[in-house]
Amino acid sequence: MESIQSSLKQWTQDNDTFQQRLNDAKASLLADPIVQKALKNVPVTEETFEKGLIKLYELQKELHNCQNCPGLSRCPNMMKGYQPELIIAGKALDLSYQPCDLKKQQDHDQKKRQLIQSFYVPKDILGATFDQLDRDHEREEASRKALAFALQANPGEDGQGLYFYGKFGVGKTYLMGAVANELRDRGIETYIVYTPDFFREMKSSISNGTFQEKLDTVKRAEVLILDDIGAETISGWIRDDVLGAILQHRMLEKLPTLFTSNYDYEELEEHLAYSERGGIEELKAKRIMERIKHFTTFVTVEGANRRIR
């Protein structure tokens, strides 16, 4: 009997100790400024508080992590980049997780990056900015017109674009990359397309059923940059059913199209007149060129070949 009484006494003492620890933990929780601030905005009864202790401990832990933020990549919270907010769900305490400022910025930056889409364009071009351009007089006019376009472009209202003509390696594509990044900062979707590879892709996409989807994507971009047009092997189908369809839609919808080329207007028209079968179709080439000429400003890009430095 004595051993039973001793055990009961010990159990009672242990239970009292546990209850004291629990009371101390609750008092510490309530004294935390983070918890006090959260409870101010939520009507909490004693019963709700007692039943919601686990949620309050979770809130306390997660928000303390946020106060000592080690950066988004090392965020220790259960949902990386998210912080809890105390709410009432029914009659119980609950947590609603919202993205923190760092997560919002990351999502914003990612969304901005997605505004630039590319087909076969080098990554260094996608990172080009006007601040990084060489300050040389040979490209001053081209740089100025490129920046003016990037700052003033208004897709859907003004379909006027640019046609950058120059020798190989003078920096035409890099300028277009800077334009795309400036447009991205303005929230304008831009597609940069390396024309020869894109036309080859369109040819092969007929067999896998993706032709129309790809064509529509490029047709509808707010701003389209066709890089190195004229470097492709032309065919009547590419000229009329791909390039012609793209330009016709963009002309009607007032969506600006920009071009880079080693050919001037007259040389490009001559190139477009030839087909892979060896025929010459001057009238069809002229129709394409009329659309290009009417909706672009011709800009000569001069300077030394930067690729051999």
Side-chain angles (χ1 to χ4, degrees):
M1 185 65 127
E2 186 176 346
S3 61
I4 295 176
Q5 290 178 340
S6 177
S7 297
L8 286 172
K9 183 178 180 182
Q10 183 64 44
W11 181 85
T12 303
Q13 290 175 344
D14 290 343
N15 190 52
D16 290 344
T17 302
F18 173 78
Q19 189 61 46
Q20 183 60 47
R21 288 177 179 173
L22 181 61
N23 291 336
D24 290 345
K26 286 196 287 186
S28 176
L29 184 68
L30 280 171
D32 192 316
I34 284 178
V35 177
Q36 289 180 356
K37 183 178 179 181
L39 289 172
K40 273 185 181 179
N41 303 318
V42 178
V44 178
T45 65
E46 183 65 28
E47 181 183 5
T48 305
F49 173 76
E50 291 292 335
K51 289 181 178 179
L53 282 174
I54 292 178
K55 293 296 181 180
L56 286 173
Y57 282 120
E58 182 180 330
L59 175 89
Q60 181 189 45
K61 178 186 175 186
E62 299 277 276
L63 290 183
H64 272 292
N65 288 339
C66 292
Q67 278 190 339
N68 301 288
C69 177
L72 190 58
S73 63
R74 294 185 291 135
C75 175
N77 283 358
M78 289 189 296
M79 295 177 61
K80 184 178 289 188
Y82 288 80
Q83 52 190 185
E85 177 183 336
L86 193 64
I87 61 172
I88 292 288
K91 295 183 179 180
L93 289 178
D94 204 351
L95 299 178
S96 171
Y97 276 83
Q98 305 296 327
C100 68
D101 290 342
L102 292 180
K103 176 63 175 170
K104 289 178 183 176
Q105 185 62 49
Q106 183 191 64
D107 291 345
H108 176 68
D109 292 344
Q110 184 176 357
K111 185 177 180 180
K112 282 171 63 176
R113 283 194 297 271
Q114 289 173 344
L115 289 172
I116 301 179
Q117 303 292 331
S118 69
F119 287 91
Y120 318 106
V121 175
K123 289 183 179 180
D124 62 323
I125 298 301
L126 298 180
T129 65
F130 284 102
D131 291 338
Q132 297 170 340
L133 293 178
D134 293 338
R135 304 295 180 183
D136 56 66
H137 69 281
E138 293 174 315
R139 289 199 301 176
E140 183 177 350
E141 181 186 6
S143 299
R144 180 170 49 80
K145 289 185 176 179
L147 180 59
F149 171 84
L151 295 175
Q152 298 168 12
N154 189 14
E157 298 295 331
D158 182 359
Q160 194 70 17
L162 298 171
Y163 187 99
F164 275 22
Y165 159 74
K167 296 178 181 178
F168 179 83
V170 295
K172 303 183 296 297
T173 303
Y174 196 87
L175 272 172
M176 290 300 186
V179 169
N181 274 297
E182 192 68 36
L183 291 171
R184 176 204 64 193
D185 290 343
R186 292 181 55 206
I188 296 176
E189 175 198 54
T190 305
Y191 272 72
I192 307 180
V193 174
Y194 179 62
T195 310
D197 284 346
F198 173 67
F199 284 161
R200 279 194 289 272
E201 173 71 16
M202 293 303 291
K203 210 169 185 178
S204 65
S205 67
I206 295 176
S207 60
N208 60 30
T210 61
F211 172 79
Q212 194 60 48
E213 179 185 356
K214 290 175 181 176
L215 184 67
D216 289 343
T217 297
V218 172
K219 279 166 54 175
R220 295 168 182 169
E222 289 185 281
V223 174
L224 174 64
I225 299 173
L226 292 176
D227 182 41
D228 211 6
I229 190 169
E232 71 285 342
T233 300
I234 200 66
S235 70
W237 178 77
I238 285 291
R239 180 194 59 219
D240 302 329
D241 295 332
V242 179
L243 180 60
I246 290 171
L247 296 181
Q248 177 69 12
H249 176 85
R250 300 186 65 76
M251 177 183 70
L252 294 175
E253 297 299 322
K254 295 184 178 180
L255 299 173
T257 307
L258 291 77
F259 303 82
T260 74
S261 184
N262 296 329
Y263 291 159
D264 62 20
Y265 283 155
E266 288 70 28
E267 291 168 334
L268 182 61
E269 183 173 333
E270 184 178 345
H271 169 74
L272 292 174
Y274 286 92
S275 70
E276 59 188 358
R277 296 178 180 178
I280 298 177
E281 298 177 306
E282 293 180 354
L283 183 58
K284 291 184 177 181
K286 190 175 290 293
R287 286 174 181 165
I288 296 290
M289 286 308 305
E290 284 304 310
R291 294 170 189 167
I292 294 176
K293 288 179 182 178
H294 187 72
F295 285 97
T296 59
T297 299
F298 188 86
V299 181
T300 300
V301 184
E302 299 178 334
N305 188 338
R306 287 165 169 77
R307 298 185 188 178
I308 60 175
R309 289 182 179 180

